[in-house]
Amino acid sequence: MTDARKPWVKPSIVMHRSGMVNKFGSVQRSQWQDQLAGVSVAALVEEHGSPLFVISEQKLRDNARHLLHAFATRYPSVRYAWSYKTNYLGAVCRALHQEGAWAEVVSGFEYEKARSLGVPGNEIVFNGPHKTRSSLERAIAEGARIQVDHLDELYLIESIARETGRRVPIGIRLNYETGYTENWSRFGFNVESGQAMDAAWRIANSDSLELKWLHSHIGTFVLDHRAYGAAARIVAGFMNDVEQKTGCEIDAIDIGGGFASHNALQGIYLPPEQVVPSLDQYAEEVCTPLLEATYERVARGRPLPTLILETGRAVVDDAESLITTVVANKKMPDGRRCVIVDAGVNVLFTAFWYNHQITPTRDLTGAPEETVIYGPLCMNIDVIRKSILLPPVRTGDTLIVSPVGAYNNTQWLQFIEYRPRVVLVHGEAEVSVVRERETLATVTELEQLPPHLAPTDHDGQSPDPSR
Amino acid sequence: MNARPDNPGPGLAVAHCLRETDIFDGRIVGLGYEALDPGLHLPEYCDAGYLLPYPSAGDSTFLERIALIKEREQIDALIPCLDAELPSVTRLLSEIERMGIATYLPSPDQLELRNKDRLEELAAHAGIEAPRTKPVADAQFFFECTRRGWEFPLVVKGLFYDAAIVRSPDQAVTAFKRIAAQWGLPVLVQEFLEGEEVNLTGVADGNGRLLSPVMMKKLALTDKGKAWSGITVSDDTLLEASRSLVERTRWRGPLEVEVMREPDGAYRLIEINPRFPAWVYLTAGAGHNALDTLLRLMRGERLDCEEPAPAGVIYLRYAEDTILPLEEYESVVMNGWRTPLEPHQESSP
Amino acid sequence: MSELQFSEESLLPDAATLERLALSSSGFLFDPVSGHSFTLNETGRDILKILQETRDLKALKQQLSDEYDLDSSTLDRDLLEFLGSVRDQLRRP
């Protein structure tokens, strides 16, 4: 039986305001996709529930290869260390380790996780301002590549080295003005003030420490690729300087991470395709000054320092998406439409600084309207998108939020709702669960109830008001 | 078009010049970003008017819109008149040309040269000095800057737009924070220049030649600092600087060169714009219609008009009211174009 | 689900307001009193057009059910929201 009636679209009325008149009336087409990494979104939700994180293993590997290719074609000795804090789901780490990546960790927990995933100590770069004595003891014993953040850590490592009778190779983290970024001066030793050189002197004068690496990490989501040119010049300049003054031999320069992904940072006017530099542009900026600064040492027969990359976001971000489902439509008193979805900022921390791409999973008819997308939490801050042009959606419609691979699966928190499943698409559209949805048991597992607070048979009855 | 009552864009003036060239009598389609842009509505300058998506809407939306306008209006050439749209247009040049739309524009590399933090490089090409400029990422700079040779007053500038003259560290920090919040880091600090601004416009042929140069000095300013009257001048230093810049960068397409002539006679490069200025109609008035030159270059003609326009021609800008029927406003708001189409042309949304 | 009992008087824009509105087939709506203009989508335009002819909620619902593919609870829900929004927008200075 065919129904000749027209499809119903939620009726809408939008007032024209000067300077804000919708450019194309109703001719704007909506873009949609009903598959993720070759798997039907409907089938994924049917099988694994909503919300649902979906990782594409192929995309992850392609991104890592692209990164290495961009740098290795410009500089002969490149090593990639996977930044655990960006996404330390075992499946993500293992896929990248299979691609030859070392681990870059910033805490005792991350160190343990990398070891448990089969990474040998000497392939772990150990960064961060808080390394406990016990984690340092283990890292030193296992030959990890420790990069020192402050003098207290330096002295701690030296005392461990003396106790164990070892000579410990270390790196120091540098901070400096690139002229293009705000200096993260809270991390590492400052170059301009002479602090970094003082630390290098201190290491040179130690009988149990040896300065072998220089580390820097200029910032996060750095959109001006020239900042990396400045960084490489400054770090390589410091290397030549420190070798000459203290007699050390630097064999690796770790340029850190910070490359932007194709996400739309809030407050940046132009879309990512117009402002985010390509990996090749970043690579060109880093490698050219490195080659220039090391020309002399190569002429003197010394090997080039290995260039270490800690790229996190630009590798994993667009390899993961979040499927979420519309639970309600609302009209705000100011005339804006709002949509409530089942994924909140507790699993999508990056919604605080990105305008994530929101893609419908069917061809939405009707004119796009300014819409706010709220999460399901009973919290005013739970906003997924403050403003997006979206045609009307129905409850039960699914939306794809992307890219979400960086930081969400590490910074998420269990709050009000259970955290959802994470699945990995691999091979010929095969889907594997790589993190199970939480249950009441997982959430309460670590809790303990003192006996006098334990539930009893009387529970459920009204309390005696006289007590 | 980018025409605003308080900050006129070059679009209408470009259309005005096009109307007065000898070699063009075709249709002019005005492209704008706002339903009330007069450039969409004035039939004496534009035969049709279309809204464009803002560059922030992304490349595919922009290209779809251009394709639709091409299909409906059979446009042959595109003349961007707004700084912010040039990066998109140059980046998408091959797609635009594949649609059969001609352009005459600088390359993406040439456009990048005019980034505000590359001014010194640009000035070197012009053979004159640039005002000393420093990118600053930390507001602390302003409390130490006098020790580093940066005396107040200073100009604090955003990477793309916005500038403020500041006379103390506190003023500087306030301006720094406001500008950084809107345009991001770094913020540029520039020495404050005293003197008189002189501007030049013309078209560069991509082979190092600057054609039909016209130089202008502002005669009167609005309270927003925009010129509402100016006079053609003949300034050899500006002309030579512009020629040198065009020759050494192999600039292609329209440009405006802005310099400051200081009281001691020194010249400093302020900036160059990769498009015609809002005062471009003065070129027609001075007998050097810049659009005539541009169209001839687009046709592949070989031109010799390298001599500057004569001095002493004055332009005067004025505002005028026009009537906009509700139906026309409705058409722009609902369809994104001004001209009502014949029924058989109606394309489905 | 039982049909909601709308209070017609409070839900609908008043007759004088409906009468003065200039509604075009494109969905462009102009209010000559406030000077504001609006964009309605197709469904919104149809609803106002019907209301300009008959300010009768029952007839409106019947006509919409005939023309559109939808169930009565969706219709009730969307009408409740839309008419509230229309009343509110037309009241603005």
Side-chain angles (χ1 to χ4, degrees):
Chain A
M1 193 187 95
T2 56
D3 193 336
R5 296 181 301 171
K6 293 186 275 187
W8 175 256
V9 176
K10 274 182 193 305
S12 74
I13 175 169
V14 181
M15 188 188 290
H16 303 145
R17 293 182 174 90
S18 174
M20 293 182 59
V21 168
N22 184 338
K23 271 72 69 184
F24 315 124
S26 56
V27 300
Q28 199 172 33
R29 278 217 326 263
S30 86
Q31 296 180 335
W32 59 283
Q33 68 177 78
D34 58 5
Q35 296 204 328
L36 265 179
V39 183
S40 140
V41 169
L44 282 168
V45 170
E46 168 85 30
E47 167 103 29
H48 302 283
S50 171
L52 178 69
F53 282 99
V54 183
I55 305 170
S56 162
E57 183 178 330
Q58 191 59 50
K59 184 73 184 151
L60 186 62
R61 289 179 184 271
D62 287 349
N63 288 348
R65 288 171 197 170
H66 183 182
L67 174 78
L68 269 174
H69 183 262
F71 281 84
T73 48
R74 293 177 167 87
Y75 189 81
S77 177
V78 180
R79 179 55 73 173
Y80 175 41
W82 171 240
S83 155
Y84 265 47
K85 65 178 173 296
T86 315
N87 191 324
Y88 44 61
L89 286 172
V92 168
C93 299
R94 283 298 307 157
L96 292 168
H97 293 322
Q98 282 183 355
E99 291 295 322
W102 289 355
E104 187 262 324
V105 304
V106 292
S107 69
F109 152 69
E110 287 193 352
Y111 187 91
E112 284 177 29
K113 181 141 193 184
R115 293 289 290 121
S116 79
L117 291 171
V119 185
N122 63 357
E123 294 185 2
I124 298 178
V125 177
F126 196 0
N127 291 327
H130 176 219
K131 306 182 187 87
T132 60
R133 172 177 265 271
S134 63
S135 64
L136 281 171
E137 283 169 351
R138 180 176 180 185
I140 289 168
E142 294 177 344
R145 303 172 68 93
I146 300 166
Q147 308 197 109
V148 177
D149 186 74
H150 45 73
L151 279 179
D152 289 317
E153 186 183 337
L154 191 68
Y155 279 83
L156 181 55
I157 293 171
E158 188 177 48
S159 81
I160 297 169
R162 282 190 184 140
E163 281 165 25
T164 54
R166 287 168 191 272
R167 192 169 166 79
V168 179
I170 54 171
I172 54 172
R173 176 162 176 175
L174 306 176
N175 73 63
Y176 44 81
E177 291 281 353
T178 64
Y180 299 101
T181 47
E182 195 163 3
N183 183 18
W184 282 9
S185 55
R186 58 167 287 188
F187 300 111
F189 301 90
N190 185 255
V191 172
E192 292 91 351
S193 66
Q195 205 179 42
M197 193 57 81
D198 292 346
W201 272 115
R202 179 62 189 78
I203 296 167
N205 289 329
S206 166
D207 49 11
S208 48
L209 299 176
E210 199 180 355
L211 184 62
K212 296 297 285 180
W213 315 300
L214 296 175
H215 176 223
S216 89
H217 180 95
I218 55 173
T220 190
F221 215 90
V222 177
L223 287 170
D224 195 332
H225 53 284
R226 293 172 300 171
Y228 284 94
R233 254 187 302 281
I234 292 166
V235 175
F238 184 82
M239 172 181 73
N240 291 336
D241 215 17
V242 79
E243 285 186 339
Q244 199 196 347
K245 286 186 176 147
T246 73
C248 66
E249 292 200 354
I250 303 295
D251 67 20
I253 285 181
D254 181 339
I255 205 73
F259 301 158
S261 65
H262 281 253
N263 229 325
L265 208 57
Q266 290 170 10
I268 297 276
Y269 177 68
L270 292 170
E273 73 241 32
Q274 296 181 30
V275 292
V276 174
S278 66
L279 289 173
D280 287 286
Q281 281 176 298
Y282 285 122
E284 186 72 28
E285 284 290 342
V286 172
C287 297
T288 308
L290 272 193
L291 287 171
E292 283 167 9
T294 48
Y295 181 77
E296 255 190 69
R297 74 160 50 204
V298 173
R300 281 187 280 117
R302 288 191 51 207
L304 281 172
T306 301
L307 170 63
I308 298 178
L309 306 167
E310 299 173 353
T311 315
R313 190 192 306 277
V315 166
V316 75
D317 214 8
D318 66 357
E320 187 167 353
S321 303
L322 172 66
I323 303 172
T324 185
T325 304
V326 174
V327 296
N329 279 288
K330 270 190 174 181
K331 201 81 190 173
M332 314 272 274
D334 62 7
R336 279 179 309 164
R337 194 159 59 94
C338 83
V339 167
I340 303 173
V341 298
D342 63 2
V345 290
N346 62 316
V347 297
L348 194 67
F349 252 67
T350 49
F352 289 128
W353 52 89
Y354 292 144
N355 290 326
H356 285 291
Q357 194 176 321
I358 306 284
T359 312
T361 56
R362 67 178 172 91
D363 192 4
L364 297 179
T365 49
E369 264 184 79
E370 193 193 346
T371 305
V372 196
I373 303 181
Y374 291 118
L377 306 179
C378 208
M379 295 281 287
N380 198 34
I381 56 165
D382 192 19
V383 184
I384 302 299
R385 280 291 302 265
K386 289 186 193 81
S387 170
I388 180 174
L389 279 179
L390 200 66
V393 291
R394 295 192 291 252
T395 55
D397 271 332
T398 46
L399 301 170
I400 298 169
V401 185
S402 60
V404 303
Y407 294 102
N408 287 306
N409 295 141
T410 48
Q411 295 188 325
W412 57 355
L413 47 96
Q414 190 275 318
F415 179 65
I416 302 179
E417 309 253 354
Y418 297 125
R419 279 178 288 190
R421 259 187 191 171
V422 184
V423 298
L424 179 80
V425 179
H426 54 97
E428 295 293 317
E430 280 177 71
V431 179
S432 299
V433 176
V434 296
R435 194 180 192 275
E436 197 42 273
R437 177 176 181 268
E438 286 173 339
T439 62
L440 182 61
T442 40
V443 176
T444 55
E445 186 187 21
L446 303 174
E447 286 187 38
Q448 296 183 21
L449 270 183
H452 71 284
L453 298 177
T456 68
D457 294 347
H458 300 294
D459 284 317
Q461 297 171 12
S462 342
D464 181 354
S466 66
R467 276 172 65 184
Chain B
M1 286 285 136
N2 192 30
R4 283 170 176 278
D6 60 343
N7 183 12
L12 272 178
V14 164
H16 198 174
C17 287
L18 282 172
R19 284 282 193 243
E20 295 193 4
T21 61
D22 302 333
I23 61 165
F24 174 78
D25 58 1
R27 282 163 60 79
I28 300 174
V29 179
L31 308 177
Y33 295 89
E34 220 286 315
L36 290 177
D37 184 335
L40 302 176
H41 301 287
L42 296 174
E44 55 270 48
Y45 300 126
C46 295
D47 302 291
Y50 284 79
L51 287 175
L52 287 182
Y54 282 104
S56 57
D59 290 351
S60 60
T61 313
F62 180 78
L63 279 177
E64 274 175 34
R65 188 63 179 169
I66 296 292
L68 178 122
I69 296 168
K70 168 72 184 172
E71 185 192 312
R72 290 170 50 96
E73 300 288 344
Q74 283 86 45
I75 52 173
D76 300 311
L78 184 67
I79 306 175
C81 296
L82 180 65
D83 290 351
E85 67 197 3
L86 271 146
S88 309
V89 175
T90 51
R91 194 178 47 254
L92 303 172
L93 203 59
S94 55
E95 281 93 337
I96 292 172
E97 282 175 350
R98 217 174 300 136
M99 293 180 204
I101 300 171
T103 61
Y104 204 82
L105 297 171
S107 67
D109 284 348
Q110 290 171 338
L111 272 185
E112 271 190 21
L113 262 181
R114 54 178 296 282
N115 283 353
K116 291 200 157 86
D117 51 354
R118 292 179 70 177
L119 191 59
E120 285 182 25
E121 201 180 326
L122 202 60
H125 286 309
I128 58 175
E129 301 267 301
R132 221 156 42 105
T133 306
K134 180 182 164 58
V136 170
D138 189 339
Q140 189 60 31
F141 169 84
F142 296 106
F143 295 101
E144 302 157 1
C145 63
T146 49
R147 274 191 280 135
R148 301 203 213 164
W150 291 84
E151 301 288 344
F152 289 99
L154 293 168
V155 185
V156 181
K157 284 185 155 181
L159 264 185
F160 303 107
Y161 295 101
D162 210 350
I165 297 167
V166 297
R167 295 174 193 284
S168 70
D170 288 335
Q171 279 182 8
V173 170
T174 308
F176 175 91
K177 285 185 179 158
R178 174 174 58 82
I179 290 171
Q182 195 169 2
W183 302 108
L185 291 170
V187 165
L188 303 174
V189 176
Q190 201 169 70
E191 64 177 313
F192 176 75
L193 300 179
E194 271 177 274
E196 194 169 45
E197 193 181 321
V198 202
N199 301 337
L200 174 147
T201 192
V203 189
D205 72 353
N207 294 315
R209 292 194 317 148
L210 172 65
L211 300 173
S212 62
V214 179
M215 289 168 274
M216 183 277 290
K217 194 191 82 167
K218 296 171 182 176
L219 284 181
L221 301 179
T222 68
D223 52 11
K224 288 203 164 190
K226 304 285 168 188
W228 59 268
S229 178
I231 183 167
T232 55
V233 294
S234 180
D235 183 319
D236 287 344
T237 311
L238 171 59
L239 184 63
E240 285 318 309
S242 306
R243 281 179 174 159
S244 161
L245 198 147
V246 162
E247 190 184 333
R248 295 188 47 185
T249 61
R250 289 283 184 262
W251 191 271
R252 186 170 189 266
L255 84 167
E256 181 191 21
V257 181
E258 299 182 4
V259 300
M260 188 71 89
R261 188 164 56 200
E262 294 188 287
D264 62 1
Y267 282 71
R268 304 287 191 98
L269 181 68
I270 303 172
E271 68 174 342
I272 70 171
N273 292 314
R275 50 156 174 84
F276 291 120
W279 54 271
V280 68
Y281 183 64
L282 180 60
T283 66
H288 269 52
N289 189 332
L291 271 297
D292 193 80
T293 306
L294 182 75
L295 291 186
R296 287 179 192 278
L297 282 173
M298 288 175 106
R299 290 208 308 210
E301 284 183 33
R302 184 149 171 86
L303 302 177
D304 282 323
C305 45
E306 291 181 63
E307 283 312 301
V313 182
I314 297 178
Y315 82 93
L316 191 58
R317 184 173 291 162
Y318 65 102
E320 192 184 37
D321 298 348
T322 189
I323 299 305
L324 180 57
L326 188 63
E327 297 74 32
E328 197 174 303
Y329 178 68
E330 172 184 343
S331 173
V332 172
V333 170
M334 301 305 290
N335 306 316
W337 56 69
R338 179 184 98 213
T339 333
L341 280 180
E342 303 302 319
H344 70 271
Q345 277 182 293
E346 191 77 58
S347 61
S348 57
Chain C
M1 184 178 151
S2 68
E3 195 169 301
L4 284 174
Q5 294 304 304
F6 288 141
S7 152
E8 298 192 5
E9 276 309 308
S10 63
L11 189 58
L12 298 174
D14 64 66
T17 306
L18 282 170
E19 203 173 312
R20 77 183 187 221
L21 296 176
L23 177 61
S24 109
S25 62
S26 67
F28 182 85
L29 178 74
F30 176 65
D31 180 349
V33 170
S34 68
H36 286 309
S37 60
F38 306 85
T39 296
L40 294 161
N41 66 0
E42 193 189 324
T43 336
R45 177 202 66 197
D46 285 359
I47 293 171
L48 274 198
K49 210 156 66 185
I50 296 168
L51 284 178
Q52 284 188 317
E53 287 156 14
T54 64
R55 198 172 161 281
D56 175 347
L57 201 56
K58 240 194 188 100
L60 171 70
K61 285 194 204 172
Q62 188 54 53
Q63 209 170 325
L64 290 171
S65 307
D66 291 346
E67 280 176 30
Y68 287 97
D69 177 19
L70 84 170
D71 59 73
S72 72
S73 81
T74 306
L75 177 60
D76 275 359
R77 184 219 172 281
D78 287 352
L79 270 186
L80 185 63
E81 193 170 75
F82 175 69
L83 291 174
S85 181
V86 169
R87 266 188 348 248
D88 182 51
Q89 301 248 23
L90 293 180
R91 209 168 35 217
R92 285 169 191 242

